[in-house]
Amino acid sequence: MLKKKEGYVVAVAGATGAVGVEMVSILEERNFPVSELRLYASEQSEGKQMEFHGKNITVHKLADDSFEGVDIALFSAGASRSLEFAPVAAKAGAIVIDNSSAWRMDKDCPLVVPEVNSHHLKDIPKGIIANPNCSTIQMLVALKPLHEAARIKRIVVTTFQSVSGTGKKAMDELMDQTVALLGFKELPMKVYPHQIAFNCLPHIDVFLENGYTKEEMKMVHETHKMLDPDIKVTATTVRVPVFRCHSESINIETEKKLTANEARAILAAAPGVVVFDDPSRNVYPLAIDVAGKDDTYVGRIREDESIENGLNMWVVADNLRKGAALNAVQIAEELIK
Ligand SMILES: NC(=O)c1ccc[n+]([C@@H]2O[C@H](COP(=O)([O-])OP(=O)(O)OC[C@H]3O[C@@H](n4cnc5c(N)ncnc54)[C@H](OP(=O)(O)O)[C@@H]3O)[C@@H](O)[C@H]2O)c1
């Protein structure tokens, strides 16, 4: 565990990426007690400047000696960098909070969403804590209180995930393809296997032997590790031409009956959740409204009339904030409590 200090030396690996930029601004916004901030990225970002509390900080190339004296290392530089450098940082004495998929299923690395399982932070045998996949985080923030109230037996989820979930190059691709299509020009296509502008791709991460994608199986395995191994989970993950925020259609079957009104009341009292649900006034969560927000928004809460005890809902959160950077900083806040 971390020794209590007035200020902590914090390193961000992948500081120039979609998630890293958000990490730096969230550390500042939430006034995290940082005595020194060190920023790392690839060679091509060496020398870039990023602002933190009004001061320019120079970005350096991530290297083996980047973590001497670091207390907390936030990683968002991709899984291969995490596999290589997270143990280096932990060996140098830092607690690593890793955003990639590299350590999530390692039994010695707690996988944590503070609203769901902060108690898993008691034991950090490798000095590495994993941040779950963005689509799992928002689903479990919304489902944990319902599981406590009525015991969820099965989850059927379909995601509508924004391109920022793939990183900054994918955001550029959506923008460039949109401009090209409207100008009748040839489509730039570098990140996705198909056109993403004005299209939906039922394909996130690689396909596995069982016909599911790795992203879909992450939602299954991470739910089991964090919430309950007995819950049956099936997922379909879809990339949509939205810049920011993932939306999810979630169906749950519970042991105990919950009416839609009971579910609304439970969710309204839950940490990190905003119930935004008044269809008579066209009120339901939208990606464009939730972008930049910290909470997970839930709407369209209704009973599933095809089964005895079931609910449907629509859950939206900012994948770069709660789905990644904010969750990592919240874990750091738990560590220094
Ligand atoms: N985007 C999301 O919603 C989201 C959510 C949860 C988890 N994550 C995970 O977070 C990680 C970063 O995602 P992102 O969306 O921020 O990607 P991104 O926009 O592509 O940024 C990648 C970052 O990694 C750095 N990097 C790349 N190669 C490197 C190397 N060889 N050495 C050091 N740094 C290197 C990049 O530096 P340069 O700028 O110098 O290239 C950049 O700072 C990924 O593991 C991703 O799976 C992302």
Side-chain angles (χ1 to χ4, degrees), residues 1-3 5 8-12 38 66-75 85-97 124-129 335:
M1 268 309 213
L2 276 178
K3 252 204 233 138
K5 290 183 179 177
Y8 297 85
V9 180
V10 178
V12 178
R38 299 196 200 158
S66 299
F67 301 99
E68 292 310 318
V70 169
D71 298 305
I72 300 170
L74 304 175
F75 269 71
F85 289 102
V88 174
K91 196 162 173 229
I95 296 276
V96 174
I97 304 171
I124 314 169
K126 285 193 169 146
I128 302 170
I129 301 160
L335 296 176

PDB file of all heavy atoms in Angstrom, residues 1-3 5 8-12 38 66-75 85-97 124-129 335:
ATOM      1  N   MET A   1       0.839  -1.208   0.000  1.00  0.00           N
ATOM      2  CA  MET A   1       0.000   0.000   0.000  1.00  0.00           C
ATOM      3  C   MET A   1       0.875   1.260   0.000  1.00  0.00           C
ATOM      4  O   MET A   1       2.038   1.220   0.350  1.00  0.00           O
ATOM      5  CB  MET A   1      -0.926   0.005   1.218  1.00  0.00           C
ATOM      6  CG  MET A   1      -2.289  -0.624   0.944  1.00  0.00           C
ATOM      7  SD  MET A   1      -3.064   0.074  -0.520  1.00  0.00           S
ATOM      8  CE  MET A   1      -4.757   0.001  -0.073  1.00  0.00           C
ATOM      9  N   LEU A   2       0.259   2.387  -0.320  1.00  0.00           N
ATOM     10  CA  LEU A   2       1.002   3.646  -0.384  1.00  0.00           C
ATOM     11  C   LEU A   2       1.208   4.245   0.991  1.00  0.00           C
ATOM     12  O   LEU A   2       0.306   4.229   1.823  1.00  0.00           O
ATOM     13  CB  LEU A   2       0.190   4.648  -1.197  1.00  0.00           C
ATOM     14  CG  LEU A   2       0.320   4.596  -2.703  1.00  0.00           C
ATOM     15  CD1 LEU A   2      -0.600   5.628  -3.316  1.00  0.00           C
ATOM     16  CD2 LEU A   2       1.753   4.875  -3.109  1.00  0.00           C
ATOM     17  N   LYS A   3       2.419   4.794   1.190  1.00  0.00           N
ATOM     18  CA  LYS A   3       2.658   5.554   2.423  1.00  0.00           C
ATOM     19  C   LYS A   3       1.953   6.893   2.292  1.00  0.00           C
ATOM     20  O   LYS A   3       1.994   7.514   1.227  1.00  0.00           O
ATOM     21  CB  LYS A   3       4.159   5.793   2.568  1.00  0.00           C
ATOM     22  CG  LYS A   3       4.780   4.964   3.658  1.00  0.00           C
ATOM     23  CD  LYS A   3       6.057   5.659   4.127  1.00  0.00           C
ATOM     24  CE  LYS A   3       7.209   4.678   4.057  1.00  0.00           C
ATOM     25  NZ  LYS A   3       8.430   5.219   3.539  1.00  0.00           N
ATOM     26  N   LYS A   5       1.288  10.685   2.228  1.00  0.00           N
ATOM     27  CA  LYS A   5       2.167  11.840   1.976  1.00  0.00           C
ATOM     28  C   LYS A   5       1.303  13.055   1.685  1.00  0.00           C
ATOM     29  O   LYS A   5       0.124  12.901   1.356  1.00  0.00           O
ATOM     30  CB  LYS A   5       3.013  11.581   0.719  1.00  0.00           C
ATOM     31  CG  LYS A   5       4.059  10.529   0.842  1.00  0.00           C
ATOM     32  CD  LYS A   5       4.829  10.472  -0.459  1.00  0.00           C
ATOM     33  CE  LYS A   5       5.927   9.445  -0.425  1.00  0.00           C
ATOM     34  NZ  LYS A   5       6.603   9.353  -1.719  1.00  0.00           N
ATOM     35  N   TYR A   8       2.107  13.329  -4.010  1.00  0.00           N
ATOM     36  CA  TYR A   8       2.627  12.084  -4.571  1.00  0.00           C
ATOM     37  C   TYR A   8       3.282  12.347  -5.919  1.00  0.00           C
ATOM     38  O   TYR A   8       2.820  13.199  -6.693  1.00  0.00           O
ATOM     39  CB  TYR A   8       1.474  11.078  -4.742  1.00  0.00           C
ATOM     40  CG  TYR A   8       0.847  10.710  -3.425  1.00  0.00           C
ATOM     41  CD1 TYR A   8      -0.162  11.514  -2.871  1.00  0.00           C
ATOM     42  CD2 TYR A   8       1.277   9.602  -2.711  1.00  0.00           C
ATOM     43  CE1 TYR A   8      -0.733  11.201  -1.647  1.00  0.00           C
ATOM     44  CE2 TYR A   8       0.719   9.284  -1.476  1.00  0.00           C
ATOM     45  CZ  TYR A   8      -0.282  10.086  -0.941  1.00  0.00           C
ATOM     46  OH  TYR A   8      -0.824   9.775   0.272  1.00  0.00           O
ATOM     47  N   VAL A   9       4.348  11.593  -6.192  1.00  0.00           N
ATOM     48  CA  VAL A   9       4.965  11.650  -7.520  1.00  0.00           C
ATOM     49  C   VAL A   9       4.132  10.727  -8.417  1.00  0.00           C
ATOM     50  O   VAL A   9       4.018   9.528  -8.159  1.00  0.00           O
ATOM     51  CB  VAL A   9       6.435  11.195  -7.475  1.00  0.00           C
ATOM     52  CG1 VAL A   9       7.044  11.264  -8.878  1.00  0.00           C
ATOM     53  CG2 VAL A   9       7.231  12.052  -6.497  1.00  0.00           C
ATOM     54  N   VAL A  10       3.521  11.333  -9.437  1.00  0.00           N
ATOM     55  CA  VAL A  10       2.625  10.573 -10.319  1.00  0.00           C
ATOM     56  C   VAL A  10       3.228  10.547 -11.716  1.00  0.00           C
ATOM     57  O   VAL A  10       3.665  11.581 -12.234  1.00  0.00           O
ATOM     58  CB  VAL A  10       1.221  11.220 -10.361  1.00  0.00           C
ATOM     59  CG1 VAL A  10       0.302  10.469 -11.322  1.00  0.00           C
ATOM     60  CG2 VAL A  10       0.600  11.262  -8.961  1.00  0.00           C
ATOM     61  N   ALA A  11       3.259   9.358 -12.319  1.00  0.00           N
ATOM     62  CA  ALA A  11       3.711   9.237 -13.712  1.00  0.00           C
ATOM     63  C   ALA A  11       2.518   8.819 -14.573  1.00  0.00           C
ATOM     64  O   ALA A  11       1.688   8.016 -14.132  1.00  0.00           O
ATOM     65  CB  ALA A  11       4.803   8.192 -13.820  1.00  0.00           C
ATOM     66  N   VAL A  12       2.415   9.395 -15.767  1.00  0.00           N
ATOM     67  CA  VAL A  12       1.387   8.962 -16.719  1.00  0.00           C
ATOM     68  C   VAL A  12       2.113   8.416 -17.943  1.00  0.00           C
ATOM     69  O   VAL A  12       2.821   9.150 -18.642  1.00  0.00           O
ATOM     70  CB  VAL A  12       0.446  10.126 -17.116  1.00  0.00           C
ATOM     71  CG1 VAL A  12      -0.578   9.649 -18.140  1.00  0.00           C
ATOM     72  CG2 VAL A  12      -0.258  10.702 -15.886  1.00  0.00           C
ATOM     73  N   ARG A  38       5.105  13.282 -13.964  1.00  0.00           N
ATOM     74  CA  ARG A  38       6.022  12.897 -15.051  1.00  0.00           C
ATOM     75  C   ARG A  38       5.195  12.310 -16.184  1.00  0.00           C
ATOM     76  O   ARG A  38       4.316  11.461 -15.955  1.00  0.00           O
ATOM     77  CB  ARG A  38       7.007  11.839 -14.557  1.00  0.00           C
ATOM     78  CG  ARG A  38       7.852  12.362 -13.411  1.00  0.00           C
ATOM     79  CD  ARG A  38       9.045  11.459 -13.230  1.00  0.00           C
ATOM     80  NE  ARG A  38       9.614  11.611 -11.903  1.00  0.00           N
ATOM     81  CZ  ARG A  38      10.359  10.690 -11.315  1.00  0.00           C
ATOM     82  NH1 ARG A  38      10.597   9.542 -11.918  1.00  0.00           N
ATOM     83  NH2 ARG A  38      10.855  10.907 -10.122  1.00  0.00           N
ATOM     84  N   SER A  66      12.166   5.295 -16.030  1.00  0.00           N
ATOM     85  CA  SER A  66      11.145   6.349 -15.900  1.00  0.00           C
ATOM     86  C   SER A  66      10.486   6.385 -14.520  1.00  0.00           C
ATOM     87  O   SER A  66       9.785   7.340 -14.195  1.00  0.00           O
ATOM     88  CB  SER A  66      10.041   6.150 -16.941  1.00  0.00           C
ATOM     89  OG  SER A  66      10.556   6.220 -18.243  1.00  0.00           O
ATOM     90  N   PHE A  67      10.650   5.332 -13.718  1.00  0.00           N
ATOM     91  CA  PHE A  67       9.790   5.209 -12.533  1.00  0.00           C
ATOM     92  C   PHE A  67      10.509   5.329 -11.191  1.00  0.00           C
ATOM     93  O   PHE A  67       9.909   5.105 -10.150  1.00  0.00           O
ATOM     94  CB  PHE A  67       9.011   3.883 -12.612  1.00  0.00           C
ATOM     95  CG  PHE A  67       8.161   3.817 -13.855  1.00  0.00           C
ATOM     96  CD1 PHE A  67       8.599   3.132 -14.972  1.00  0.00           C
ATOM     97  CD2 PHE A  67       6.963   4.496 -13.926  1.00  0.00           C
ATOM     98  CE1 PHE A  67       7.847   3.106 -16.136  1.00  0.00           C
ATOM     99  CE2 PHE A  67       6.203   4.488 -15.079  1.00  0.00           C
ATOM    100  CZ  PHE A  67       6.636   3.791 -16.189  1.00  0.00           C
ATOM    101  N   GLU A  68      11.796   5.717 -11.226  1.00  0.00           N
ATOM    102  CA  GLU A  68      12.516   5.899  -9.954  1.00  0.00           C
ATOM    103  C   GLU A  68      11.834   6.997  -9.150  1.00  0.00           C
ATOM    104  O   GLU A  68      11.605   8.092  -9.662  1.00  0.00           O
ATOM    105  CB  GLU A  68      13.984   6.295 -10.211  1.00  0.00           C
ATOM    106  CG  GLU A  68      14.842   5.200 -10.838  1.00  0.00           C
ATOM    107  CD  GLU A  68      14.755   3.855 -10.124  1.00  0.00           C
ATOM    108  OE1 GLU A  68      14.758   3.858  -8.871  1.00  0.00           O
ATOM    109  OE2 GLU A  68      14.661   2.817 -10.813  1.00  0.00           O
ATOM    110  N   GLY A  69      11.437   6.706  -7.918  1.00  0.00           N
ATOM    111  CA  GLY A  69      10.836   7.721  -7.053  1.00  0.00           C
ATOM    112  C   GLY A  69       9.358   7.980  -7.325  1.00  0.00           C
ATOM    113  O   GLY A  69       8.746   8.838  -6.690  1.00  0.00           O
ATOM    114  N   VAL A  70       8.764   7.211  -8.239  1.00  0.00           N
ATOM    115  CA  VAL A  70       7.338   7.415  -8.556  1.00  0.00           C
ATOM    116  C   VAL A  70       6.472   6.662  -7.534  1.00  0.00           C
ATOM    117  O   VAL A  70       6.751   5.511  -7.191  1.00  0.00           O
ATOM    118  CB  VAL A  70       7.034   6.926 -10.001  1.00  0.00           C
ATOM    119  CG1 VAL A  70       5.536   6.871 -10.263  1.00  0.00           C
ATOM    120  CG2 VAL A  70       7.728   7.840 -11.012  1.00  0.00           C
ATOM    121  N   ASP A  71       5.416   7.324  -7.041  1.00  0.00           N
ATOM    122  CA  ASP A  71       4.489   6.672  -6.105  1.00  0.00           C
ATOM    123  C   ASP A  71       3.358   5.972  -6.851  1.00  0.00           C
ATOM    124  O   ASP A  71       2.971   4.867  -6.515  1.00  0.00           O
ATOM    125  CB  ASP A  71       3.866   7.724  -5.159  1.00  0.00           C
ATOM    126  CG  ASP A  71       4.909   8.409  -4.302  1.00  0.00           C
ATOM    127  OD1 ASP A  71       5.658   7.686  -3.614  1.00  0.00           O
ATOM    128  OD2 ASP A  71       4.984   9.653  -4.339  1.00  0.00           O
ATOM    129  N   ILE A  72       2.794   6.676  -7.838  1.00  0.00           N
ATOM    130  CA  ILE A  72       1.629   6.132  -8.566  1.00  0.00           C
ATOM    131  C   ILE A  72       1.910   6.255 -10.059  1.00  0.00           C
ATOM    132  O   ILE A  72       2.236   7.348 -10.545  1.00  0.00           O
ATOM    133  CB  ILE A  72       0.351   6.923  -8.219  1.00  0.00           C
ATOM    134  CG1 ILE A  72       0.054   6.833  -6.709  1.00  0.00           C
ATOM    135  CG2 ILE A  72      -0.850   6.407  -9.028  1.00  0.00           C
ATOM    136  CD1 ILE A  72      -1.047   7.767  -6.240  1.00  0.00           C
ATOM    137  N   ALA A  73       1.787   5.148 -10.781  1.00  0.00           N
ATOM    138  CA  ALA A  73       2.012   5.174 -12.234  1.00  0.00           C
ATOM    139  C   ALA A  73       0.705   4.812 -12.936  1.00  0.00           C
ATOM    140  O   ALA A  73       0.182   3.706 -12.755  1.00  0.00           O
ATOM    141  CB  ALA A  73       3.112   4.193 -12.609  1.00  0.00           C
ATOM    142  N   LEU A  74       0.178   5.768 -13.681  1.00  0.00           N
ATOM    143  CA  LEU A  74      -1.044   5.523 -14.440  1.00  0.00           C
ATOM    144  C   LEU A  74      -0.631   5.130 -15.857  1.00  0.00           C
ATOM    145  O   LEU A  74       0.059   5.888 -16.534  1.00  0.00           O
ATOM    146  CB  LEU A  74      -1.916   6.795 -14.483  1.00  0.00           C
ATOM    147  CG  LEU A  74      -2.298   7.394 -13.129  1.00  0.00           C
ATOM    148  CD1 LEU A  74      -3.061   8.711 -13.327  1.00  0.00           C
ATOM    149  CD2 LEU A  74      -3.170   6.412 -12.336  1.00  0.00           C
ATOM    150  N   PHE A  75      -1.050   3.960 -16.301  1.00  0.00           N
ATOM    151  CA  PHE A  75      -0.632   3.454 -17.616  1.00  0.00           C
ATOM    152  C   PHE A  75      -1.785   3.498 -18.610  1.00  0.00           C
ATOM    153  O   PHE A  75      -2.869   2.964 -18.338  1.00  0.00           O
ATOM    154  CB  PHE A  75      -0.174   1.996 -17.491  1.00  0.00           C
ATOM    155  CG  PHE A  75       1.296   1.833 -17.224  1.00  0.00           C
ATOM    156  CD1 PHE A  75       1.836   2.176 -15.998  1.00  0.00           C
ATOM    157  CD2 PHE A  75       2.144   1.325 -18.208  1.00  0.00           C
ATOM    158  CE1 PHE A  75       3.195   2.021 -15.740  1.00  0.00           C
ATOM    159  CE2 PHE A  75       3.499   1.162 -17.965  1.00  0.00           C
ATOM    160  CZ  PHE A  75       4.025   1.503 -16.727  1.00  0.00           C
ATOM    161  N   PHE A  85       6.397  -2.631 -19.097  1.00  0.00           N
ATOM    162  CA  PHE A  85       6.844  -1.598 -18.143  1.00  0.00           C
ATOM    163  C   PHE A  85       6.118  -1.590 -16.793  1.00  0.00           C
ATOM    164  O   PHE A  85       6.655  -1.043 -15.829  1.00  0.00           O
ATOM    165  CB  PHE A  85       6.738  -0.208 -18.780  1.00  0.00           C
ATOM    166  CG  PHE A  85       7.772   0.034 -19.855  1.00  0.00           C
ATOM    167  CD1 PHE A  85       7.436  -0.056 -21.196  1.00  0.00           C
ATOM    168  CD2 PHE A  85       9.083   0.338 -19.517  1.00  0.00           C
ATOM    169  CE1 PHE A  85       8.382   0.156 -22.185  1.00  0.00           C
ATOM    170  CE2 PHE A  85      10.046   0.554 -20.494  1.00  0.00           C
ATOM    171  CZ  PHE A  85       9.694   0.464 -21.845  1.00  0.00           C
ATOM    172  N   ALA A  86       4.913  -2.180 -16.690  1.00  0.00           N
ATOM    173  CA  ALA A  86       4.225  -2.145 -15.391  1.00  0.00           C
ATOM    174  C   ALA A  86       5.053  -2.878 -14.327  1.00  0.00           C
ATOM    175  O   ALA A  86       5.223  -2.355 -13.210  1.00  0.00           O
ATOM    176  CB  ALA A  86       2.810  -2.712 -15.510  1.00  0.00           C
ATOM    177  N   PRO A  87       5.619  -4.058 -14.626  1.00  0.00           N
ATOM    178  CA  PRO A  87       6.461  -4.710 -13.600  1.00  0.00           C
ATOM    179  C   PRO A  87       7.712  -3.888 -13.267  1.00  0.00           C
ATOM    180  O   PRO A  87       8.170  -3.900 -12.126  1.00  0.00           O
ATOM    181  CB  PRO A  87       6.857  -6.044 -14.257  1.00  0.00           C
ATOM    182  CG  PRO A  87       5.841  -6.273 -15.331  1.00  0.00           C
ATOM    183  CD  PRO A  87       5.444  -4.917 -15.821  1.00  0.00           C
ATOM    184  N   VAL A  88       8.228  -3.147 -14.258  1.00  0.00           N
ATOM    185  CA  VAL A  88       9.407  -2.291 -14.009  1.00  0.00           C
ATOM    186  C   VAL A  88       9.019  -1.197 -13.012  1.00  0.00           C
ATOM    187  O   VAL A  88       9.742  -0.920 -12.040  1.00  0.00           O
ATOM    188  CB  VAL A  88       9.902  -1.657 -15.338  1.00  0.00           C
ATOM    189  CG1 VAL A  88      11.033  -0.661 -15.080  1.00  0.00           C
ATOM    190  CG2 VAL A  88      10.338  -2.731 -16.325  1.00  0.00           C
ATOM    191  N   ALA A  89       7.848  -0.588 -13.248  1.00  0.00           N
ATOM    192  CA  ALA A  89       7.377   0.483 -12.357  1.00  0.00           C
ATOM    193  C   ALA A  89       7.102  -0.064 -10.965  1.00  0.00           C
ATOM    194  O   ALA A  89       7.466   0.555  -9.954  1.00  0.00           O
ATOM    195  CB  ALA A  89       6.118   1.127 -12.945  1.00  0.00           C
ATOM    196  N   ALA A  90       6.478  -1.242 -10.897  1.00  0.00           N
ATOM    197  CA  ALA A  90       6.159  -1.834  -9.588  1.00  0.00           C
ATOM    198  C   ALA A  90       7.456  -2.172  -8.841  1.00  0.00           C
ATOM    199  O   ALA A  90       7.551  -1.961  -7.629  1.00  0.00           O
ATOM    200  CB  ALA A  90       5.287  -3.075  -9.781  1.00  0.00           C
ATOM    201  N   LYS A  91       8.437  -2.676  -9.584  1.00  0.00           N
ATOM    202  CA  LYS A  91       9.728  -3.026  -8.950  1.00  0.00           C
ATOM    203  C   LYS A  91      10.409  -1.773  -8.396  1.00  0.00           C
ATOM    204  O   LYS A  91      11.058  -1.803  -7.339  1.00  0.00           O
ATOM    205  CB  LYS A  91      10.632  -3.706  -9.976  1.00  0.00           C
ATOM    206  CG  LYS A  91      11.780  -4.424  -9.349  1.00  0.00           C
ATOM    207  CD  LYS A  91      12.412  -5.442 -10.279  1.00  0.00           C
ATOM    208  CE  LYS A  91      13.670  -5.983  -9.615  1.00  0.00           C
ATOM    209  NZ  LYS A  91      14.811  -5.976 -10.499  1.00  0.00           N
ATOM    210  N   ALA A  92      10.208  -0.647  -9.080  1.00  0.00           N
ATOM    211  CA  ALA A  92      10.817   0.613  -8.612  1.00  0.00           C
ATOM    212  C   ALA A  92      10.049   1.196  -7.422  1.00  0.00           C
ATOM    213  O   ALA A  92      10.419   2.240  -6.890  1.00  0.00           O
ATOM    214  CB  ALA A  92      10.865   1.618  -9.759  1.00  0.00           C
ATOM    215  N   GLY A  93       8.926   0.539  -7.039  1.00  0.00           N
ATOM    216  CA  GLY A  93       8.201   0.968  -5.840  1.00  0.00           C
ATOM    217  C   GLY A  93       6.890   1.685  -6.097  1.00  0.00           C
ATOM    218  O   GLY A  93       6.207   2.106  -5.163  1.00  0.00           O
ATOM    219  N   ALA A  94       6.515   1.834  -7.371  1.00  0.00           N
ATOM    220  CA  ALA A  94       5.249   2.523  -7.675  1.00  0.00           C
ATOM    221  C   ALA A  94       4.074   1.539  -7.604  1.00  0.00           C
ATOM    222  O   ALA A  94       4.251   0.341  -7.811  1.00  0.00           O
ATOM    223  CB  ALA A  94       5.316   3.123  -9.079  1.00  0.00           C
ATOM    224  N   ILE A  95       2.900   2.070  -7.288  1.00  0.00           N
ATOM    225  CA  ILE A  95       1.672   1.295  -7.490  1.00  0.00           C
ATOM    226  C   ILE A  95       1.200   1.647  -8.899  1.00  0.00           C
ATOM    227  O   ILE A  95       1.044   2.828  -9.234  1.00  0.00           O
ATOM    228  CB  ILE A  95       0.584   1.686  -6.469  1.00  0.00           C
ATOM    229  CG1 ILE A  95       1.010   1.347  -5.046  1.00  0.00           C
ATOM    230  CG2 ILE A  95      -0.745   1.031  -6.831  1.00  0.00           C
ATOM    231  CD1 ILE A  95       0.766  -0.070  -4.605  1.00  0.00           C
ATOM    232  N   VAL A  96       0.994   0.630  -9.710  1.00  0.00           N
ATOM    233  CA  VAL A  96       0.576   0.838 -11.098  1.00  0.00           C
ATOM    234  C   VAL A  96      -0.946   0.700 -11.202  1.00  0.00           C
ATOM    235  O   VAL A  96      -1.526  -0.235 -10.645  1.00  0.00           O
ATOM    236  CB  VAL A  96       1.239  -0.216 -12.023  1.00  0.00           C
ATOM    237  CG1 VAL A  96       0.698  -0.102 -13.443  1.00  0.00           C
ATOM    238  CG2 VAL A  96       2.750  -0.072 -11.996  1.00  0.00           C
ATOM    239  N   ILE A  97      -1.564   1.649 -11.906  1.00  0.00           N
ATOM    240  CA  ILE A  97      -2.988   1.510 -12.251  1.00  0.00           C
ATOM    241  C   ILE A  97      -3.037   1.458 -13.771  1.00  0.00           C
ATOM    242  O   ILE A  97      -2.722   2.441 -14.444  1.00  0.00           O
ATOM    243  CB  ILE A  97      -3.823   2.681 -11.682  1.00  0.00           C
ATOM    244  CG1 ILE A  97      -3.616   2.764 -10.161  1.00  0.00           C
ATOM    245  CG2 ILE A  97      -5.306   2.487 -12.025  1.00  0.00           C
ATOM    246  CD1 ILE A  97      -4.209   4.003  -9.515  1.00  0.00           C
ATOM    247  N   ILE A 124      -2.721  -6.074  -3.048  1.00  0.00           N
ATOM    248  CA  ILE A 124      -2.189  -5.781  -4.393  1.00  0.00           C
ATOM    249  C   ILE A 124      -0.840  -6.498  -4.525  1.00  0.00           C
ATOM    250  O   ILE A 124       0.226  -5.862  -4.481  1.00  0.00           O
ATOM    251  CB  ILE A 124      -2.023  -4.246  -4.591  1.00  0.00           C
ATOM    252  CG1 ILE A 124      -3.269  -3.502  -4.113  1.00  0.00           C
ATOM    253  CG2 ILE A 124      -1.739  -3.914  -6.057  1.00  0.00           C
ATOM    254  CD1 ILE A 124      -3.092  -1.990  -4.017  1.00  0.00           C
ATOM    255  N   PRO A 125      -0.857  -7.834  -4.648  1.00  0.00           N
ATOM    256  CA  PRO A 125       0.386  -8.606  -4.528  1.00  0.00           C
ATOM    257  C   PRO A 125       1.468  -8.193  -5.521  1.00  0.00           C
ATOM    258  O   PRO A 125       2.655  -8.216  -5.185  1.00  0.00           O
ATOM    259  CB  PRO A 125      -0.049 -10.053  -4.810  1.00  0.00           C
ATOM    260  CG  PRO A 125      -1.523 -10.076  -4.722  1.00  0.00           C
ATOM    261  CD  PRO A 125      -2.024  -8.687  -4.911  1.00  0.00           C
ATOM    262  N   LYS A 126       1.087  -7.823  -6.755  1.00  0.00           N
ATOM    263  CA  LYS A 126       2.127  -7.482  -7.747  1.00  0.00           C
ATOM    264  C   LYS A 126       2.385  -5.987  -7.823  1.00  0.00           C
ATOM    265  O   LYS A 126       3.167  -5.531  -8.648  1.00  0.00           O
ATOM    266  CB  LYS A 126       1.672  -7.955  -9.133  1.00  0.00           C
ATOM    267  CG  LYS A 126       1.779  -9.449  -9.336  1.00  0.00           C
ATOM    268  CD  LYS A 126       1.634  -9.839 -10.789  1.00  0.00           C
ATOM    269  CE  LYS A 126       2.018 -11.291 -10.959  1.00  0.00           C
ATOM    270  NZ  LYS A 126       1.275 -11.993 -11.973  1.00  0.00           N
ATOM    271  N   GLY A 127       1.634  -5.202  -7.032  1.00  0.00           N
ATOM    272  CA  GLY A 127       1.768  -3.740  -7.129  1.00  0.00           C
ATOM    273  C   GLY A 127       1.083  -3.196  -8.375  1.00  0.00           C
ATOM    274  O   GLY A 127       1.309  -2.048  -8.763  1.00  0.00           O
ATOM    275  N   ILE A 128       0.255  -4.041  -9.019  1.00  0.00           N
ATOM    276  CA  ILE A 128      -0.437  -3.613 -10.244  1.00  0.00           C
ATOM    277  C   ILE A 128      -1.944  -3.791 -10.054  1.00  0.00           C
ATOM    278  O   ILE A 128      -2.416  -4.872  -9.691  1.00  0.00           O
ATOM    279  CB  ILE A 128       0.020  -4.454 -11.470  1.00  0.00           C
ATOM    280  CG1 ILE A 128       1.532  -4.332 -11.677  1.00  0.00           C
ATOM    281  CG2 ILE A 128      -0.745  -4.037 -12.732  1.00  0.00           C
ATOM    282  CD1 ILE A 128       2.103  -5.306 -12.708  1.00  0.00           C
ATOM    283  N   ILE A 129      -2.672  -2.693 -10.312  1.00  0.00           N
ATOM    284  CA  ILE A 129      -4.142  -2.724 -10.256  1.00  0.00           C
ATOM    285  C   ILE A 129      -4.624  -2.533 -11.691  1.00  0.00           C
ATOM    286  O   ILE A 129      -4.097  -1.687 -12.415  1.00  0.00           O
ATOM    287  CB  ILE A 129      -4.672  -1.563  -9.386  1.00  0.00           C
ATOM    288  CG1 ILE A 129      -4.122  -1.662  -7.965  1.00  0.00           C
ATOM    289  CG2 ILE A 129      -6.202  -1.531  -9.377  1.00  0.00           C
ATOM    290  CD1 ILE A 129      -4.186  -0.341  -7.216  1.00  0.00           C
ATOM    291  N   LEU A 335      -6.623   4.761  -2.914  1.00  0.00           N
ATOM    292  CA  LEU A 335      -5.348   4.327  -2.331  1.00  0.00           C
ATOM    293  C   LEU A 335      -4.807   5.316  -1.313  1.00  0.00           C
ATOM    294  O   LEU A 335      -4.095   4.932  -0.387  1.00  0.00           O
ATOM    295  CB  LEU A 335      -4.289   4.149  -3.433  1.00  0.00           C
ATOM    296  CG  LEU A 335      -4.534   3.061  -4.478  1.00  0.00           C
ATOM    297  CD1 LEU A 335      -3.442   3.100  -5.533  1.00  0.00           C
ATOM    298  CD2 LEU A 335      -4.576   1.675  -3.829  1.00  0.00           C
TER     299      LEU A 335
END
